Amino acid sequence: MPSTFNLTGLIVADMARSLAFYRLLGLDLPAGAETEPHVEVTLPGGLRLAFDTEEVIRSFDPAWTPATSGAGRVSLAFACDSPAEVDAIHADLLAAGHTGHLPPWDAFWGQRYATVLDPDGNHVDLFAPLPAVPTP
């Protein structure tokens, strides 16, 4: 039987801050999970997103250390209903104290796009299709 992609895991320095960030993006994370060392949420379609504290990772990989420089190699993307929603969510995340990476812009591939950083520096993209431009 072939393997099936089932879970994306994020290693977090501060579970409460990370869960608050992803709740602002609409994830339905369990109440009270802020104090847990491991949290999972099942997304539409069945894919799971997991959060583990650095301590959990070190419990089975004592030599693990977080990256100390450069941009992350993980990017998560959240579809929005409209270009205005991209702008609104981006503004809400910045107002909540999170760091913007790329402000909202109209991408050449036909989407409104923005990138913010989660509390651990992972890129989180927001996107929505731009309205079709009538051709003359």
Side-chain angles (χ1 to χ4, degrees), residues 90-114:
H90 181 268
D92 289 348
L93 289 167
L94 270 54
H98 300 289
T99 303
H101 180 68
L102 294 174
W105 58 290
D106 292 343
F108 66 86
W109 56 84
Q111 292 177 325
R112 183 74 171 164
Y113 220 87

Side-chain angles (χ1 to χ4, degrees), residues 36-125:
E36 297 296 324
H38 174 85
V39 177
E40 285 186 24
V41 61
T42 300
L43 306 171
L47 184 65
R48 294 176 301 143
L49 180 60
F51 303 85
D52 286 294
T53 63
E54 293 175 352
E55 292 77 19
V56 165
I57 302 307
R58 285 192 191 102
S59 75
F60 59 84
D61 185 359
W64 178 86
T65 58
T68 57
S69 65
R73 294 181 181 262
V74 173
S75 176
L76 303 176
F78 286 76
C80 300
D81 288 335
S82 68
E85 188 178 37
V86 170
D87 294 355
I89 292 173
H90 181 268
D92 289 348
L93 289 167
L94 270 54
H98 300 289
T99 303
H101 180 68
L102 294 174
W105 58 290
D106 292 343
F108 66 86
W109 56 84
Q111 292 177 325
R112 183 74 171 164
Y113 220 87
T115 303
V116 294
L117 302 179
D118 78 1
D120 296 288
N122 296 307
H123 288 203
V124 177
D125 300 330

Side-chain angles (χ1 to χ4, degrees), residues 10-23:
L10 298 177
I11 301 168
V12 302
D14 182 333
M15 184 67 79
R17 186 157 163 75
S18 293
L19 296 184
F21 175 88
Y22 285 98
R23 282 186 178 116

